[in-house]
Amino acid sequence: MIRLCGALLVSLLAVAPAWAQDQAEPQPAPQSAEVAEAASEGAARLTLGVGAAYFPDYEGSSHNRWTPIPVANGTVAGMSFTLVGNRAQLDVIPNATGPGWDIQFGPVAVYNMNRSNRDSIRDPRVRALGEVDSALEVGGYFGIGRTGLITSDFDKLSVTVSYRKDVTRVHRAGIWNPVVTYSTPLSTKAMVSLSASAEIVEDRYARTYFGVTPAQSLASGLPVFRPEGGQKDITFGGYFAYALTGNLTKGLSLVAGGTYRKLVKDFADSPLVSIAGDRNQWTGAAGLALTF
């Protein structure tokens, strides 16, 4: 599965669920009993969900397909974990709910299945390049956030940077992923979030997923191409969450969102993109989640 919404969840679409935020409640003035109760519930919770994502057949494809995605998120003793699709991360630094600074630090892992299944790729030229084994990318992230910034005591701006590296010897490369996210509640039942991110990859990643060797050129008809690493893309995303029962920290919620990703530099010039695909990449996702 291609990473959804970069690393918002990062990555975003990944799509980042609204329930992944520890401060997802609005602040009336003065603070109401309902909001105080919601903030207390948000200190320890578990969310399980399922949805469907619409994303490119491979990174750079002009064709999209639907696939189911699992979602899990929880907070215990101030520490939070998140699983969305093929990405998981853990924030090991406890942070109190409510206005203030939030330091984020912990491990992150992505299971990269890009081009690992020929049957899921419609373009015959890209299929002829052959499959790439799935790669497990493991690393860590650091970030800082501020809750209570613009619209209320519960909106939040976060800046994070992660680094992960393939540990399965598939592409053997590292990936840097900076992300900026802003989320704000509209009420105790509704919330919106916007994000911007990018990925900077090493040479071996570029050659594994965007290169064409002489043998692959003969098999596919695509020209030989040997890309170099660097900034791969820039991504903008957003989502909307609405509590169907209870509020955003307890009950059933509907979440929908998407991302626009533009491939740049050698990645946009790759024959997999410039000839067989499209540098403009769109993803969308929607689902339901139950928070306990």
Side-chain angles (χ1 to χ4, degrees):
M1 182 188 298
I2 295 179
R3 287 170 293 281
L4 300 176
C5 304
L8 186 56
L9 324 188
V10 171
S11 303
L12 164 173
L13 305 323
V15 204
W19 48 88
Q21 302 293 336
D22 286 341
Q23 296 84 24
E25 308 81 20
Q27 163 99 21
Q31 186 182 43
S32 69
E34 180 183 7
V35 172
E37 180 182 0
S40 176
E41 291 170 348
R45 58 185 165 72
L46 173 66
T47 297
L48 299 175
V50 65
Y54 185 66
F55 63 92
D57 290 352
Y58 63 90
E59 198 169 13
S61 174
S62 59
H63 299 103
N64 282 40
R65 59 191 173 93
W66 287 97
T67 188
I69 54 171
V71 174
N73 176 260
T75 299
V76 178
M79 297 186 294
S80 62
F81 65 89
T82 304
L83 167 69
V84 175
N86 61 335
R87 182 185 181 95
Q89 69 182 45
L90 171 67
D91 183 359
V92 300
I93 300 180
N95 290 283
T97 58
W101 292 100
D102 172 17
I103 303 299
Q104 304 160 30
F105 175 78
V108 60
V110 171
Y111 191 56
N112 187 342
M113 295 176 280
N114 187 25
R115 287 176 49 201
S116 63
N117 183 358
R118 293 180 59 203
D119 294 339
S120 67
I121 299 175
R122 272 174 280 185
D123 193 292
R125 295 165 294 185
V126 179
R127 286 203 306 269
L129 297 175
E131 294 183 347
V132 179
D133 291 340
S134 297
L136 178 61
E137 301 161 359
V138 178
Y141 74 101
F142 174 81
I144 186 169
R146 173 71 184 183
T147 302
L149 192 67
I150 301 173
T151 62
S152 71
D153 281 350
F154 294 96
D155 69 334
K156 185 172 184 178
L157 177 67
S158 295
V159 179
T160 64
V161 177
S162 67
Y163 176 81
R164 60 186 192 274
K165 188 176 179 66
D166 171 32
V167 297
T168 48
R169 303 178 67 84
V170 175
H171 59 76
R172 305 184 183 184
I175 303 104
W176 288 96
N177 182 205
V179 181
V180 179
T181 307
Y182 176 73
S183 302
T184 183
L186 304 177
S187 69
T188 57
K189 287 183 173 292
M191 180 180 182
V192 295
S193 182
L194 301 173
S195 69
S197 66
E199 286 194 331
I200 300 94
V201 304
E202 296 174 353
D203 288 346
R204 286 181 174 177
Y205 184 103
R207 293 166 190 165
T208 299
Y209 296 110
F210 292 87
V212 180
T213 66
Q216 289 176 323
S217 178
L218 287 174
S220 66
L222 295 173
V224 174
F225 188 71
R226 184 177 173 85
E228 295 182 353
Q231 182 179 351
K232 176 170 64 70
D233 57 45
I234 183 169
T235 302
F236 301 96
Y239 72 83
F240 173 79
Y242 183 79
L244 301 175
T245 64
N247 55 50
L248 288 172
T249 62
K250 187 175 184 180
L252 183 67
S253 295
L254 170 68
V255 180
T259 66
Y260 166 70
R261 170 180 293 177
K262 183 176 182 178
L263 297 170
V264 299
K265 300 183 178 179
D266 278 5
F267 306 93
D269 294 336
S270 166
L272 284 78
V273 180
S274 61
I275 297 175
D278 192 337
R279 69 176 59 194
N280 299 298
Q281 304 279 282
W282 297 89
T283 65
L288 295 171
L290 183 62
T291 301
F292 303 91

